[in-house]
Each structure stands twice: as structure tokens, then as C-alpha cells.
Amino acid sequence: MEDDVARLLDALTLEEKASLCLGSDFWHTAPVERLGIPAVMVADGPHGLRKEPEHATQGGLVESVPATCFPTAAALGSSWDVDLLQEVGVALGRECQAEQVSVLLGPGVNIKRSPLCGRNFEYLSEDPRLSGELATSFVLGVQSQGVGTSLKHFAANNQETDRVRVSADVDERTLREIYFPAFERTVAQARPWTVMCSYNRLNGTHVSQHPWLLTEVLRDEWGYDGVVVSDWGAVHDRVAAVKAGLDLEMPPQLGHSDRALVEAVRSGELEEAVLDRSVARVLSLVAKATEAKQADPTADLDAHHALARRAARECAVLLKNEDDLLPLDLRAGQTVAVIGEFARTPRFQGAGSSQVNPTRVDVALDEIRDAVREGVEVRFAAGFGLEDEDEADPRLAEEAVEAARGADAVVLFLGLPARAESEGFDREHMRLPQSQVDLLRRMAAVNERVVVLLANGSAVLTSTWDHEAAAVLECWLGGQASGAAVADLLLGSANPCGRLAETIPLRLQDNTAYLNFPGDSGHVRYGEGVFVGYRGHDALDQPVGYPFGHGLSYTTFEYGDLVVDVTGRHADRDLRITVRCSVTNSGRRPGKEVAQLYVHDVAASVARPPLELRGFAKLDLAPGETGTATFELGARDLSYWSEAVRDWVLEAGDFELLVGASSRDIRARATTAVDAPRVAAPLGAMSSLEEWLADPSGADALRGVLGTTDDGRLAGALGNPELRRVVGNFPMSALAGFANVDLDRDDLQELVARVGDEPSGKV
Ligand code: BGC
């Protein structure tokens, strides 16, 4: 292939090269017939194929061919199941092959910074590690079928408000620790064929023409060698974009961007070699896609529907279950009232570019009717209309109350109406429509056994109403088979095993991005820094509605003690920490537990989140069975990104390793001491007195110039403890200007020269 690419590069005219850096239409790369270079097709999206039929003309936003609608990313994220994500990926890859699509435009790994982001249903988690591991599996799955993926939207695209213009103003540490790692891990471990740049600006520069992001970080540091494609319409200056590392513009601004590239090369503004780099990447993609096309591809849509059903079961999160109300054990002669329009008109996906035309849709009400034992009466009442916002239709509500009265259980389907969340805009609040909450109150007043089933893509507040329900099952937007999955879970043929991939706060105001979302005047400041999601709630010691990682089961699990095994040393770059924890199914049903490993740097010199997820293991256990969760940690897992040294820094000291069933339900912990060379920014004239004294060679040098007292203290004014408390944080250059300090500028220059050769201790 490499030879072919080189040969083609020689044969292409400048105009043809420029044309290859743009699509030929909304969904195809440009062909060059003269040289036998075909066009390949790309199509959305993360949880199902959205391919525009041949005859359609509207950018695929209205019509698409039938395809399996798998659970949305918000749901899949809650599965915490890497194997499942891979299976879904494989199925999507097969459907793409069958439809002649070469690149699927997903997964989306943007972090859920605020619960208000309109596209949160398309993203996996508020946690970068969870997002990265799941996305890696997904990409490996799709690409195992000879179909590429597009890891999107790179980067810091965490809102829809003003999404094409807004500048996400984010410090580098926050990017490195929160917004980059899911991309970094997926790039390193799954090599997605394409990465899609986001619409927004990052610290003032449009991402589509951001050389640091698209070249220095993505390629030079992470080793990415695939194609960077623009989000649809994200290119503003084609020449600047190609220079920054953006290879393929979609959709193409035909006659404009191609001409700009040609003219820039002719005028000398753009080196042809730079254009060639992008052309070569596009050619490699086309070659890879063409070679990987299967001869007679088919997709087993029945099997995919069954997979969608299993996946939806894995994603549902049992938030509460008082007195083990679930699973419902209904016997002949008993009655269940199924209430809520969503039981009949399911909401199972979000709107925008990811919207799939499902091959079929399971309706929960029908599935429950089919699944209950013979002789169980299933009553239905809509309770509210999908358009009802604050007030329910009184007639519908009254009918529902009558249906619930005297029933042996009430299954109430609540959720966000479709208009509440979509690509293109953010939400303004996190509440369910008041009409639904009022209906729940009325249900609870006539029946103690109310189960709430939620259908929503972004988190909704539960704190104002969940005390009225005996059980709450969060089903997210669970894809086309969610109706059947819900029946399986309600009636106990499946056991819930999803865990929250995002915190449900008590109040929207508790979200640490609250004051800075969605920004204004063209800027959104990520003022909360690394304290996103549970990292922020924990640092503020806030109570939450339901914590990150939470999810109940119909069985129970017990955790054993941690066994920690440390090998190697950070200084030798081979530090490995293995953490093992046994987990036993102590209940009476088979079930799955997600053991979660968090790390806490006990004495960090910078503000670090109290807990950070560094691994997870989903264990499938029969009653009485014990399994072992094993986690492997390396130096990076214990490090933070230092703005001062512009690198990852592991600080020596104690680290707590905590394993639990959620971020707020730690079941076993151990502390391990880790040795590491001291890393500090090189000392200079602007380093403070305390920084000099904290550095062994700096302190020595200073003592050499100023001398020491009999008891070993630094001599002179700077050694005076009282004075040090007041001016210890002054840079040395300022101190050298003070008359009463026995250090002049010449001394300082000598000091700086003396320590300048010292290594900073970077590993
Ligand atoms: C979305 C992308 C999508 C693309 C193509 C854009 O508006 O942001 O996620 O892949 O359209 O439909």
C-alpha cells in the first residue's frame, strides 16, 4: 500500500491532490477516476448506521436506510462492559459492510462536563478512563470487520450552545487529565482509521486549524497516523487547516476549499509537501477501505436485534429497590398497572446526526403483556401526553389513578420528551416534566408499590420525587429493543447490572461546571478544572442523588481484602502495581458486579481529586460463586499533569487504592508507598525562596553563598524563620533587590548558573 501511495502521489496533479483533501459530496471521499482511485463512503453514527438512501438529498438528516438501533452511548457507557461494546462494534461493522459504508462516524468520547449538554446521550461518561476503555473496545469491534471509525469530537466539545464558534478555554492540565485521555487511549490501543475534529475553538483557535492539538499532541505525542476529518462544516480556513494537520474536509466546500489549496501551493504559502502528507493519509484510508470490502457482505438483523436487547439489559441501572420490590413476582389473579405513554410509544434514541431508522421497535407494554404469567391482568393507562409539560391532561391522569388503585404493582414509565434533548442545543434544566412528577405523586398516594422506569439520554434529577417510588430503574435511551429488555428486567428473567457512568446530582447547581456553562460572549471557561463530575462532588464533599458507579442488583455481593503487589520502580520506568480483590455473589440469583478501582494521592502537592477511577472489572457470578477482580496500574495511573514541568509527574508518597461498588461505596482499601524521583521545574531567578530551599541542590547552593548558622540554618535575613514566612514566596530576583538581604544580583546569577546543570529529575 505504501508503494501505491507513493506512486499515486507522483502521478496526481496539484488539482487532484487538492480534491482528495475534500469529500466529493456529503458522505463520500473524492474519486480520481483517471488513476483508478475510488470514492469511499462514510456515515453516522455511534449507536447505529445512519446511511442516506441513494435518492435522498438532505444530507441524511431526514431519511436513512433501516439499521439496528443499539442503545445510545449514554446507555452503553452504563454497561461498564468492554466485551459488550466490542460485540456491538462488530455488529455495526457488519451492517456497514452490508451497506457499502467504509467508515462509521463514531464513537463520541467527549466528557459529560455538564448534565445539560444536549448531546450527552451520544457520549459515554463523565470519566475519561471509563470512556476510553469502552471506546477502545468499540473501535476494535467495528474495525475488526474492515470498517473504519471516527473518534469524535476532538476536543473539548462539551456543549451544543454556540458549538461552532465558542472557545473552550481550558488549562493544559485539565485537557491532559480529563478531556484528552479517552482519545489518547483509543488512539494508542485501537488506532481508529479517522479522528474527527470538533467544531469549537480551543483557547481561541478553531480546532480544525489547531496545530498543537491536531499535530503536536495527536500525532507527535500519541503517534496517530490515520486521517483527521473535519466535523461537518468545521473548516473555516482550508489552508490553515491542512497546515495544522486536518486531512479531509467534510462536507466539501467545492470550488472554494480546493481552489484555496491549489492557490496556496502556487503562491508558496503552502508547501506542497504539507499537502502531500494529507493526500497520502487519505489515499491510505481509501486503499485500506477498498481492500477491506467484503465480497458478499450480509448482516444478520435478527441476531443484531437480539444483541440490542441483551445490550439494553446490560445498560439499565437499578437506582433503588425498596424491600426488593423488583423483580415483580406476579401470580395468576394479580394485576399490574402499566402507566405512562412511553410504555406504548417508546423513546429509545436521541435526535440529530445519530438518529437511526430502526429495523423494528419493541414496545414495552406488549412485551410485558407477553411475558407475565398466565392469569395476570395488565392494565394500561397513558397518564400523560408526550406534549404535556407542566400540567397533565386531567382526564389521562385520572384514568391512570383508577388503573393504579388496587393493582398489585404499578409500573410507571417516565422520561424526557424527545424535544428536551438533541444535538444542536443544550438543556436548560434537569427536571422531568412536572406533569409526570405530579402523576407519580398521585400513583404513590393510591399504591405503595410503584416502580419508575426512566427513559432519558441525559441525567435527570431524581431527588424531588424518588422517595415516592419504591423502585427506580434508569433505562436511558436503550435502543430499538429496550421495550423487551425492560420486560426482562422487571420480571426477573434478567438481573440489572448497569452502573452509573455519570453522577446524578441532588441539584443542578451542585455540578461544578454550573457557574461556567455554557459561557457567553464566545467563550466558555472550564473554571472547575479537573474537578469534573464525581471528582468535583467528592472534593466539595457534597451529597449526591446517586453517585458515579452506583447500581443495584437483584443479588448482593461481598468484597474481600485487597492484595497489592508492587514490582519495579518508577525511576526504572517499570513500576507495576497489581491489585486483586475477590468478590462473592452472596445472594440467591446469578448477577454481575462491577468492581471499581479508585486511586487517591494522599499527600499531593497540587489539588487532586479525592478519587479517580483507574480500572474496573465486570464479574458474572452464580450464587455463592467468588471471582477475582484484577487491576493493573502503571506510573501514569498515579500521576498528574504538571503545568510547571509540562509532563506527567508522579510524586513519591502514599497512595490509597480503593475498590468498591461505587465511588461512594468503597468496600476494600489499602495504602501503598511509592518511590519516585523528585521532579520540579528547573530553578531560576523567578523561583521563590521556598522553591530553592525545597530543592536539595538549590538549598545547598544557597547555603554555599549565604553560609549557615551554627545550628545548620541558612545564615542571614533569608534564614530568619519569621521573615521566611512573609517573603518565602517571593521570587529570588525580587529578594535580591532588597537592601537587607545578603544576596545581590551577581550572587543570584552565580546561583542560577550553578544549579542550571542539575537534572530536574524527570523520568
Ligand atoms: C455532527 C457529527 C456527525 C456529522 C455528520 C455533525 O453535525 O457533529 O457528530 O458525525 O455531523 O452527520
Side-chain angles (χ1 to χ4, degrees):
M1 195 159 75
E2 289 299 308
D3 287 350
D4 278 356
V5 168
R7 184 180 52 76
L8 288 171
L9 267 183
D10 279 345
L12 287 162
T13 64
L14 178 58
E15 284 74 9
E16 287 166 341
K17 287 180 185 173
S19 78
L20 281 166
C21 292
L22 275 54
S24 55
D25 64 23
F26 227 81
W27 305 115
H28 292 89
T29 61
V32 181
E33 276 159 26
R34 183 178 75 83
L35 295 170
I37 301 171
V40 300
M41 183 172 198
V42 305
D44 283 305
H47 59 266
L49 175 62
R50 187 176 67 94
K51 180 190 170 187
E52 180 173 299
E54 298 299 330
H55 62 269
T57 52
Q58 309 190 26
L61 286 176
V62 179
E63 263 188 279
S64 58
V65 301
T68 308
C69 178
F70 289 98
T72 57
L76 287 173
S78 309
S79 74
W80 295 60
D81 188 334
V82 287
D83 297 332
L84 178 72
L85 271 278
Q86 180 138 359
E87 277 186 82
V88 169
V90 168
L92 287 168
R94 293 216 170 112
E95 294 196 22
C96 288
Q97 279 283 359
E99 287 289 346
Q100 311 295 320
V101 168
S102 293
V103 177
L104 183 74
L105 301 175
V109 293
N110 297 95
I111 294 296
K112 301 185 197 213
R113 172 177 178 243
S114 161
L116 299 181
C117 172
R119 270 185 114 165
N120 272 357
F121 71 91
E122 279 187 74
Y123 300 143
L124 293 160
S125 175
E126 70 187 21
D127 182 83
R129 181 58 169 258
L130 181 57
S131 302
E133 291 207 15
L134 295 177
T136 297
S137 284
F138 178 94
V139 170
L140 289 172
V142 176
Q143 295 193 168
S144 71
Q145 299 307 301
V147 170
T149 52
S150 200
L151 186 65
K152 67 189 189 183
H153 310 87
F154 186 56
N157 175 192
N158 309 95
Q159 66 187 54
E160 294 298 282
T161 305
D162 203 16
R163 67 172 158 158
V164 184
R165 296 181 307 181
V166 72
S167 173
D169 296 340
V170 199
D171 62 75
E172 186 171 354
R173 177 176 169 207
T174 301
L175 289 171
R176 299 277 186 177
E177 292 188 25
I178 303 291
Y179 297 101
F180 283 176
F183 290 99
E184 184 181 2
R185 172 174 286 268
T186 313
V187 161
Q189 300 194 356
R191 299 170 59 102
W193 291 9
T194 77
V195 168
M196 187 189 292
C197 84
S198 55
Y199 282 125
N200 52 291
R201 290 182 294 150
L202 174 64
N203 294 323
T205 303
H206 263 114
V207 162
S208 59
Q209 53 201 59
H210 208 300
W212 177 73
L213 189 69
L214 300 187
T215 296
E216 283 182 49
V217 172
L218 179 63
R219 297 188 190 280
D220 300 347
E221 288 186 31
W222 302 347
Y224 183 63
D225 59 2
V227 164
V228 174
V229 56
S230 69
D231 199 345
W232 266 230
V235 174
H236 304 282
D237 177 339
R238 188 64 190 98
V239 176
V242 86
K243 283 185 184 169
L246 186 135
D247 307 307
L248 180 61
E249 174 185 315
M250 292 300 284
Q253 302 182 64
L254 293 171
H256 173 76
S257 291
D258 39 0
R259 189 178 312 149
L261 289 172
V262 168
E263 279 169 12
V265 172
R266 294 236 160 88
S267 71
E269 188 200 341
L270 175 66
E271 280 179 54
E272 190 158 352
V274 172
L275 182 67
D276 285 356
R277 230 172 31 193
S278 285
V279 176
R281 292 186 194 122
V282 175
L283 288 173
S284 300
L285 173 73
V286 172
K288 195 157 40 175
T290 312
E291 276 167 28
K293 273 198 174 161
Q294 293 165 2
D296 193 12
T298 50
D300 182 346
L301 296 179
D302 288 336
H304 291 180
H305 185 76
L307 173 59
R309 176 173 180 168
R310 182 153 59 79
R313 294 200 299 240
E314 296 282 323
C315 301
V317 183
L318 184 59
L319 295 178
K320 73 177 273 190
N321 193 18
E322 260 169 31
D323 303 327
D324 293 334
L325 174 56
L326 289 179
L328 294 177
D329 183 21
L330 298 165
R331 289 156 204 287
Q334 292 191 311
T335 302
V336 58
V338 175
I339 312 289
E341 184 57 49
F342 292 119
R344 181 170 65 178
T345 313
R347 181 148 188 267
F348 56 92
Q349 65 172 329
S353 62
S354 69
Q355 194 165 336
V356 176
N357 175 10
T359 56
R360 59 177 122 144
V361 178
D362 292 343
V363 174
L365 178 59
D366 301 341
E367 300 292 334
I368 294 170
R369 283 198 167 122
D370 284 353
V372 290
R373 291 194 183 105
E374 221 179 292
V376 173
E377 186 196 345
V378 179
R379 293 182 198 152
F380 171 74
F384 55 88
L386 295 180
E387 296 306 315
D388 297 348
E389 196 59 49
D390 290 337
E391 281 178 36
D393 179 322
R395 186 184 54 82
L396 293 180
E398 199 49 48
E399 274 172 21
V401 173
E402 285 321 308
R405 202 189 301 275
D408 294 287
V410 178
V411 176
L412 177 58
F413 285 79
L414 304 181
L416 287 176
R419 64 181 174 279
E421 50 183 347
S422 163
E423 176 178 345
F425 58 87
D426 294 316
R427 293 189 298 167
E428 282 171 9
H429 62 76
M430 288 181 72
R431 298 187 303 274
L432 286 174
Q434 191 57 36
S435 54
Q436 296 186 24
V437 176
D438 289 346
L439 183 69
L440 166 61
R441 287 209 176 103
R442 295 188 64 182
M443 300 286 100
V446 297
N447 198 312
E448 287 179 338
R449 292 161 58 85
V450 178
V451 179
V452 169
L453 296 175
L454 287 172
N456 47 290
S458 356
V460 293
L461 289 181
T462 52
S463 51
T464 53
W465 54 260
D466 63 354
H467 53 279
E468 309 270 12
V472 182
L473 186 63
E474 170 60 90
C475 304
W476 303 109
L477 299 178
Q480 66 181 46
S482 55
V486 157
D488 297 337
L489 292 164
L490 269 178
L491 299 170
S493 61
N495 188 349
C497 58
R499 302 291 182 264
L500 289 179
E502 60 196 288
T503 309
I504 301 181
L506 275 181
R507 310 176 312 152
L508 172 62
Q509 294 89 322
D510 293 341
N511 173 256
T512 47
Y514 179 74
L515 288 177
N516 288 303
F517 185 94
D520 54 53
S521 317
H523 289 264
V524 51
R525 210 167 62 81
Y526 285 36
E528 71 286 357
V530 297
F531 295 96
V532 173
Y534 67 91
R535 289 167 165 79
H537 295 295
D538 290 351
L540 294 168
D541 198 15
Q542 279 167 342
V544 295
Y546 294 99
F548 176 80
H550 170 77
L552 305 173
S553 165
Y554 297 156
T555 186
T556 50
F557 299 96
E558 269 164 31
Y559 286 63
D561 292 337
L562 297 193
V563 179
V564 180
D565 188 20
V566 183
T567 60
R569 282 158 25 112
H570 182 42
D572 300 333
R573 296 167 176 268
D574 62 358
L575 175 68
R576 296 305 303 165
I577 301 177
T578 308
V579 182
R580 289 189 186 82
C581 183
S582 65
V583 180
T584 303
N585 181 344
S586 50
R588 288 198 298 271
R589 285 170 179 270
K592 292 184 186 172
E593 174 68 333
V594 180
Q596 303 156 35
L597 171 72
Y598 297 89
V599 165
H600 171 218
D601 184 351
V602 176
S605 68
V606 295
R608 292 190 68 174
L611 292 186
E612 294 185 90
L613 183 77
R614 290 295 185 245
F616 55 93
K618 196 165 188 176
L619 303 172
D620 189 359
L621 298 170
E625 188 184 349
T626 298
T628 304
T630 304
F631 311 95
E632 296 281 348
L633 299 176
R636 168 77 183 267
D637 293 312
L638 307 179
S639 304
Y640 74 96
W641 176 268
S642 163
E643 298 268 354
V645 296
R646 297 221 44 234
D647 204 347
W648 295 100
V649 169
L650 193 171
E651 291 185 300
D654 282 350
F655 284 83
E656 257 190 306
L657 307 165
L658 308 101
V659 173
S662 88
S663 59
R664 295 274 168 106
D665 183 9
I666 299 302
R667 304 286 185 87
R669 62 177 78 211
T671 302
T672 232
V674 175
D675 194 21
R678 185 172 175 280
V679 180
L683 291 174
M686 281 306 283
S687 307
S688 71
L689 173 61
E690 290 302 348
E691 284 162 358
W692 276 81
L693 289 171
D695 185 292
S697 46
D700 266 3
L702 207 51
R703 280 196 205 96
V705 171
L706 297 181
T708 48
T709 60
D710 292 344
D711 57 356
R713 266 195 297 117
L714 194 63
L718 294 184
N720 176 337
E722 299 284 302
L723 196 73
R724 255 179 76 179
R725 280 174 52 197
V726 180
V727 297
N729 59 9
F730 268 50
M732 293 290 275
S733 65
L735 292 174
F738 289 161
N740 57 345
V741 166
D742 333 312
L743 180 84
D744 60 23
R745 297 201 178 278
D746 292 343
D747 296 333
L748 182 55
Q749 229 176 7
E750 189 196 322
L751 272 174
V752 173
R754 208 185 290 176
V755 297
D757 297 334
E758 296 289 330
S760 73
K762 256 183 168 177
V763 173

